[in-house]
Amino acid sequence: MKEFQSKVEKISLIVTLIASVIIWIFFGFNAFLGIWIGCMCALIGFRMIIKMAKNLNPDENKAKKQGITSYTFRYLFYGVVLAVSAFRGIPILSVLAGIMCHKASLLIYTAIEKEDA
């Protein structure tokens, strides 16, 4: 699991670096900053998911409650990051693009691992 997490995070940072440089050239520094805020937000959420998965209770009812609590907390975290970013003048679409960079890294990881299998 640690190797998976490390590879996904590395790919995510590379994808975000490429996207953020392109965004900076065309849209300016605030959009560049938004990409990185979104990426960091997604990486924190990713770590929260991994932590939740590792700590799931074997009892089905307790696991459901734990999962709902974890999802709720994570989505509140995303909402707060988006709200603070908007309040500070960071373009929300650039924050969402940063989150999508992380999602793209998951697809890239899957494609790379599929080739190795």
Side-chain angles (χ1 to χ4, degrees):
M1 183 67 103
K2 191 74 172 167
E3 183 181 344
F4 162 71
Q5 181 179 353
S6 172
K7 284 183 179 180
V8 169
E9 288 175 352
K10 187 182 294 185
I11 294 168
S12 186
L13 293 173
I14 292 168
V15 170
T16 303
L17 178 64
I18 294 167
S20 65
V21 169
I22 294 168
I23 293 297
W24 192 357
I25 292 169
F26 289 105
F27 298 103
F29 183 73
N30 276 351
F32 168 85
L33 193 58
I35 292 279
W36 282 101
I37 290 170
C39 176
M40 292 302 122
C41 178
L43 287 174
I44 291 168
F46 180 63
R47 286 184 176 218
M48 292 166 92
I49 291 170
I50 290 174
K51 183 179 176 187
M52 178 195 67
K54 285 181 179 178
N55 296 329
L56 274 179
N57 196 313
D59 179 33
E60 186 176 342
N61 289 331
K62 288 182 181 179
K64 283 182 182 180
K65 185 176 179 181
Q66 186 180 5
I68 290 170
T69 303
S70 177
Y71 276 106
T72 302
F73 181 73
R74 196 167 65 252
Y75 285 118
L76 284 173
F77 168 70
Y78 294 151
V80 168
V81 169
L82 288 170
V84 169
S85 297
F87 180 75
R88 302 293 287 174
I90 306 296
I92 295 302
L93 288 178
S94 66
V95 177
L96 293 173
I99 293 170
M100 290 296 103
C101 287
H102 173 67
K103 302 302 179 189
S105 73
L106 293 169
L107 293 173
I108 292 168
Y109 174 82
T110 304
I112 290 170
E113 289 301 312
K114 193 175 191 179
E115 288 175 4
D116 291 343

